[in-house]
Coordinates of all heavy atoms in Angstrom, one line a residue:
G828 N 19.7 -27.8 11.5 CA 18.5 -28.3 12.0 C 18.0 -27.6 13.3 O 17.8 -28.2 14.3
S829 N 18.0 -26.3 13.2 CA 17.6 -25.5 14.4 C 16.8 -24.3 14.1 O 16.9 -23.8 13.0 CB 18.9 -25.1 15.2 OG 19.6 -24.1 14.5
L830 N 16.1 -23.8 15.1 CA 15.4 -22.6 15.0 C 15.8 -21.8 16.3 O 15.5 -22.3 17.4 CB 13.9 -22.8 15.0 CG 13.0 -21.5 15.1 CD1 13.3 -20.7 13.8 CD2 11.6 -21.8 15.2
R831 N 16.5 -20.7 16.1 CA 17.0 -19.9 17.2 C 16.2 -18.6 17.4 O 15.9 -18.0 16.4 CB 18.5 -19.6 17.0 CG 19.1 -18.8 18.2 CD 20.6 -18.4 17.9 NE 21.4 -19.7 17.8 CZ 21.9 -20.2 18.9 NH1 21.8 -19.7 20.1 NH2 22.7 -21.3 18.8
I832 N 15.8 -18.3 18.6 CA 15.1 -17.1 18.9 C 16.0 -16.3 19.9 O 16.3 -16.7 20.9 CB 13.8 -17.4 19.6 CG1 13.0 -18.4 18.7 CG2 13.0 -16.1 19.8 CD1 11.8 -18.9 19.5
L845 N 4.5 -17.8 23.5 CA 4.9 -17.9 22.2 C 4.5 -19.3 21.7 O 4.8 -20.3 22.3 CB 6.5 -17.7 22.0 CG 7.0 -18.0 20.6 CD1 6.5 -16.9 19.6 CD2 8.6 -17.9 20.6
L847 N 4.7 -21.6 18.1 CA 5.3 -21.7 16.7 C 4.4 -22.7 15.9 O 4.1 -23.8 16.4 CB 6.7 -22.3 16.8 CG 7.8 -21.5 17.6 CD1 9.1 -22.3 17.7 CD2 8.0 -20.2 16.9
F857 N 9.8 -34.9 13.5 CA 10.0 -34.0 14.7 C 10.0 -34.7 16.0 O 9.8 -34.1 17.1 CB 9.0 -32.9 14.7 CG 9.4 -31.7 13.8 CD1 8.9 -31.7 12.5 CD2 10.2 -30.7 14.2 CE1 9.3 -30.7 11.6 CE2 10.6 -29.7 13.3 CZ 10.1 -29.7 12.0
A858 N 10.1 -36.1 16.0 CA 10.1 -36.8 17.3 C 11.3 -36.4 18.2 O 11.2 -36.6 19.4 CB 10.1 -38.3 17.0
D859 N 12.4 -35.9 17.6 CA 13.6 -35.6 18.4 C 13.6 -34.1 18.8 O 14.7 -33.6 19.2 CB 14.8 -35.9 17.6 CG 14.9 -35.1 16.3 OD1 13.9 -34.6 15.8 OD2 16.1 -35.0 15.8
L860 N 12.5 -33.4 18.6 CA 12.5 -31.9 18.9 C 12.9 -31.7 20.4 O 12.3 -32.2 21.3 CB 11.1 -31.3 18.6 CG 11.1 -29.8 18.8 CD1 11.9 -29.0 17.8 CD2 9.6 -29.3 18.7
A861 N 13.9 -30.8 20.6 CA 14.4 -30.5 21.9 C 14.6 -29.0 22.0 O 15.0 -28.3 21.1 CB 15.7 -31.2 22.2
G862 N 14.3 -28.4 23.2 CA 14.5 -27.0 23.5 C 15.4 -26.9 24.7 O 16.0 -27.9 25.1
P863 N 15.5 -25.7 25.3 CA 16.4 -25.4 26.4 C 16.1 -26.3 27.6 O 17.0 -26.7 28.3 CB 16.2 -24.0 26.7 CG 15.6 -23.4 25.5 CD 14.8 -24.5 24.8
A864 N 14.8 -26.7 27.7 CA 14.5 -27.5 28.9 C 14.4 -29.0 28.6 O 13.8 -29.8 29.4 CB 13.1 -27.0 29.5
G865 N 14.8 -29.4 27.4 CA 14.8 -30.8 27.0 C 13.8 -31.1 25.9 O 13.5 -30.1 25.1
P866 N 13.2 -32.3 25.8 CA 12.3 -32.6 24.7 C 11.1 -31.6 24.7 O 10.6 -31.2 25.8 CB 11.9 -34.0 25.1 CG 13.0 -34.6 25.9 CD 13.5 -33.4 26.7
A867 N 10.7 -31.3 23.5 CA 9.5 -30.4 23.4 C 8.4 -31.1 22.7 O 8.6 -31.9 21.8 CB 10.0 -29.1 22.6
E868 N 7.2 -30.7 23.0 CA 6.0 -31.3 22.4 C 5.6 -30.7 21.1 O 5.6 -29.4 21.0 CB 4.8 -31.2 23.4 CG 3.6 -31.9 22.9 CD 2.4 -31.7 23.8 OE1 2.6 -31.0 24.9 OE2 1.3 -32.1 23.5
V869 N 5.3 -31.5 20.1 CA 4.8 -31.0 18.8 C 3.4 -31.6 18.6 O 3.2 -32.8 18.8 CB 5.8 -31.5 17.7 CG1 5.2 -31.0 16.4 CG2 7.2 -31.0 17.9
V878 N 4.0 -25.8 18.2 CA 5.0 -26.0 19.3 C 4.8 -24.8 20.3 O 4.9 -23.7 19.8 CB 6.5 -26.0 18.8 CG1 7.5 -26.2 19.9 CG2 6.7 -27.1 17.7
E879 N 4.6 -25.1 21.5 CA 4.5 -24.1 22.6 C 5.9 -23.9 23.2 O 6.6 -24.8 23.5 CB 3.5 -24.5 23.7 CG 2.1 -24.8 23.2 CD 1.4 -23.6 22.8 OE1 1.8 -22.5 23.1 OE2 0.3 -23.7 22.2
V880 N 6.3 -22.6 23.3 CA 7.6 -22.2 23.8 C 7.4 -21.3 25.1 O 6.7 -20.4 25.0 CB 8.4 -21.5 22.7 CG1 9.8 -21.1 23.3 CG2 8.5 -22.4 21.5
D881 N 8.2 -21.7 26.1 CA 8.3 -20.8 27.3 C 9.4 -19.8 27.1 O 10.5 -20.2 26.8 CB 8.5 -21.6 28.5 CG 7.3 -22.5 28.9 OD1 6.2 -22.1 28.6 OD2 7.6 -23.6 29.4
L882 N 9.1 -18.5 27.2 CA 10.1 -17.5 27.0 C 10.7 -17.1 28.3 O 10.0 -16.9 29.3 CB 9.4 -16.2 26.4 CG 8.8 -16.4 25.0 CD1 8.2 -15.1 24.6 CD2 9.9 -16.8 24.0
P883 N 12.0 -16.9 28.4 CA 12.7 -16.5 29.6 C 12.4 -15.0 29.8 O 12.0 -14.3 28.9 CB 14.2 -16.7 29.3 CG 14.3 -16.6 27.8 CD 13.0 -17.2 27.3
D888 N 19.0 -16.4 24.5 CA 18.6 -17.1 23.3 C 17.8 -18.3 23.7 O 17.9 -18.9 24.8 CB 19.9 -17.7 22.6 CG 20.7 -16.6 22.0 OD1 20.3 -15.4 22.0 OD2 21.8 -16.9 21.4
I889 N 16.9 -18.7 22.7 CA 16.2 -20.0 22.8 C 16.6 -20.7 21.5 O 16.5 -20.1 20.4 CB 14.7 -19.8 22.9 CG1 14.3 -19.2 24.2 CG2 14.0 -21.2 22.8 CD1 12.8 -18.9 24.3
E890 N 17.0 -22.0 21.6 CA 17.2 -22.8 20.4 C 16.4 -24.0 20.5 O 16.5 -24.8 21.4 CB 18.7 -23.1 20.3 CG 19.0 -23.8 19.0 CD 20.5 -24.1 18.8 OE1 21.2 -24.1 19.8 OE2 20.9 -24.2 17.6
L891 N 15.7 -24.3 19.4 CA 15.0 -25.5 19.2 C 15.7 -26.3 18.2 O 16.1 -25.8 17.1 CB 13.5 -25.3 18.7 CG 12.6 -24.5 19.7 CD1 11.3 -24.3 19.0 CD2 12.4 -25.3 20.9
R892 N 16.0 -27.6 18.5 CA 16.8 -28.5 17.6 C 16.0 -29.7 17.2 O 15.4 -30.3 18.0 CB 18.1 -28.9 18.3 CG 19.0 -27.7 18.7 CD 20.2 -28.2 19.5 NE 19.8 -28.9 20.7 CZ 19.4 -28.4 21.9 NH1 19.3 -27.1 22.0 NH2 19.0 -29.1 22.9
S893 N 16.1 -30.0 15.9 CA 15.4 -31.2 15.4 C 15.8 -31.5 14.0 O 16.0 -30.5 13.2 CB 13.9 -31.1 15.5 OG 13.3 -32.2 14.8
G894 N 16.0 -32.7 13.6 CA 16.2 -33.1 12.2 C 15.1 -32.7 11.3 O 15.2 -32.5 10.1
F896 N 13.7 -29.9 11.1 CA 13.9 -28.5 10.5 C 14.6 -28.6 9.1 O 14.6 -27.7 8.4 CB 14.7 -27.6 11.4 CG 13.9 -27.1 12.6 CD1 14.3 -27.4 13.9 CD2 12.7 -26.4 12.4 CE1 13.6 -27.0 15.0 CE2 12.0 -26.0 13.5 CZ 12.4 -26.3 14.8

Side-chain angles (χ1 to χ4, degrees):
S829 72
L830 177 66
R831 182 181 294 273
I832 308 168
L845 176 65
L847 298 172
F857 279 93
D859 63 340
L860 182 65
E868 181 184 0
V869 180
V878 181
E879 303 286 350
V880 178
D881 293 325
L882 296 178
D888 292 357
I889 295 175
E890 185 177 22
L891 298 175
R892 299 175 303 281
S893 172
F896 287 121

